Amino acid sequence: MEYANRLEKYAPAQSEAQVAEEVAKMKAAAEKNENTEVYKFCYSSIDLTTLSCNDSDESVTEFAKKAVEFYDKYPEIPNVASICIYPSFVETVGLAVGDSPMRITSVAGGFPAAQTFLEVKSLEVAMAVENGADEVDIVLNVGKMLKGHYDEAANEVEVLRKEAGSDVVLKVIIESGALKTPELIRKASLLSMEAGADFVKTSTGKIDVAATPEAAVVMCHAIKDYYEKTGRKVGFKAAGGVRTPQEAVLYYTIVKEILGDEWITTDLFRIGASSAANNILSAIEGKQIKFF
């Protein structure tokens, strides 16, 4: 399917100076959101993540069981949105979480580089879903984006969207740190949404530059413009390098200010993190906590 020509119906990206100016305003606005209720929401929006070469069935089982224990340990705090792992651990997490409401997110499609055969990407997505993934995070083909092969990049997303099925939440990672410019970040976001993404996500966390507020501003404006054109709400996920409560609140503020209160729900806002969970929990409780 042709996707590049769909970009013509959207306005051009903001300039880097415009983005920087807006980020400065967001940082000022975020100060008023640094409170317990916002911290609790940010905690509930976390996709609690372990994506390490050291992961094993044993370590992932312990990780998942700890997340489930949180329901009883802190009943007054909404638990994290999901547990995010490599596809080979989806079944492991499913066994560990049992009949709890915890959702399972699997990275797939050749994560983190997306540099493999489309057939392999499709099979990996299909196997993750078959094994019980509720949500799948894939990576947009950055190499194709950088060379202007927009139709090819978007068509891969379309194929994986169909492979995942309509009941599975599909998050598309645009790897904003590699795309760098507001123009490419905006195009990648719009193409991903046009091809069926339920979320657009900043980063894999596997390259030097991960989530940035500048990328978030550009992506959220793209989501807003897409919604105004189509009426379909797409979520935003910040991932990679989000560690402190203040950083989480800044992304919350960007979403709230650009997209509005309707996006302040875990159906439309996520944070991909590991260390941030303990830090946000500590901010909520007012003391240092290392639960995970």
Side-chain angles (χ1 to χ4, degrees), residues 47-63:
D47 287 338
L48 191 66
T49 302
T50 180
L51 296 170
S52 168
C53 65
N54 297 329
D55 289 341
S56 64
D57 286 331
E58 291 83 0
S59 68
V60 170
T61 296
E62 183 180 354
F63 183 77

Side-chain angles (χ1 to χ4, degrees), residues 1-8 148 150-151 154 191:
M1 186 178 295
E2 292 185 359
Y3 283 97
N5 58 9
R6 299 188 189 185
L7 295 172
E8 296 173 2
Y150 302 144
D151 285 342
L191 289 167

Side-chain angles (χ1 to χ4, degrees), residues 21-78:
E21 182 180 353
E22 189 163 359
V23 167
K25 292 178 181 177
M26 294 295 178
K27 288 180 176 178
E31 293 180 6
K32 70 177 183 294
N33 292 325
E34 291 179 5
N35 58 66
T36 300
E37 289 308 307
V38 173
Y39 291 150
K40 284 184 176 181
F41 173 75
C42 287
Y43 185 86
S44 74
S45 73
I46 290 174
D47 287 338
L48 191 66
T49 302
T50 180
L51 296 170
S52 168
C53 65
N54 297 329
D55 289 341
S56 64
D57 286 331
E58 291 83 0
S59 68
V60 170
T61 296
E62 183 180 354
F63 183 77
K65 285 184 175 179
K66 195 72 174 174
V68 174
E69 287 173 12
F70 188 88
Y71 289 112
D72 293 328
K73 183 73 173 177
Y74 295 94
E76 73 285 1
I77 302 174

Side-chain angles (χ1 to χ4, degrees), residues 22-23 25-34 38 41-42 216-217 220 236 245-261 264 269 271:
E22 189 163 359
V23 167
K25 292 178 181 177
M26 294 295 178
K27 288 180 176 178
E31 293 180 6
K32 70 177 183 294
N33 292 325
E34 291 179 5
V38 173
F41 173 75
C42 287
V217 164
C220 285
F236 169 78
Q246 293 76 22
E247 288 168 341
V249 169
L250 177 56
Y251 289 110
Y252 164 95
T253 301
I254 290 169
V255 170
K256 182 180 175 67
E257 294 293 322
I258 295 174
L259 294 168
D261 290 337
I264 302 302
F269 176 69
I271 298 169

Side-chain angles (χ1 to χ4, degrees), residues 4 11 15 21-22 52 66-67 70 86 97 99-100 105 110 135 140 147 149 168 182 234 236-237 251 267 269 277:
S15 67
E21 182 180 353
E22 189 163 359
S52 168
K66 195 72 174 174
F70 188 88
Y86 280 113
V97 303
D99 59 359
S100 77
T105 297
E135 307 183 0
L140 187 69
K147 292 300 182 182
H149 304 311
V168 171
V234 173
F236 169 78
K237 178 175 175 179
Y251 289 110
D267 289 335
F269 176 69

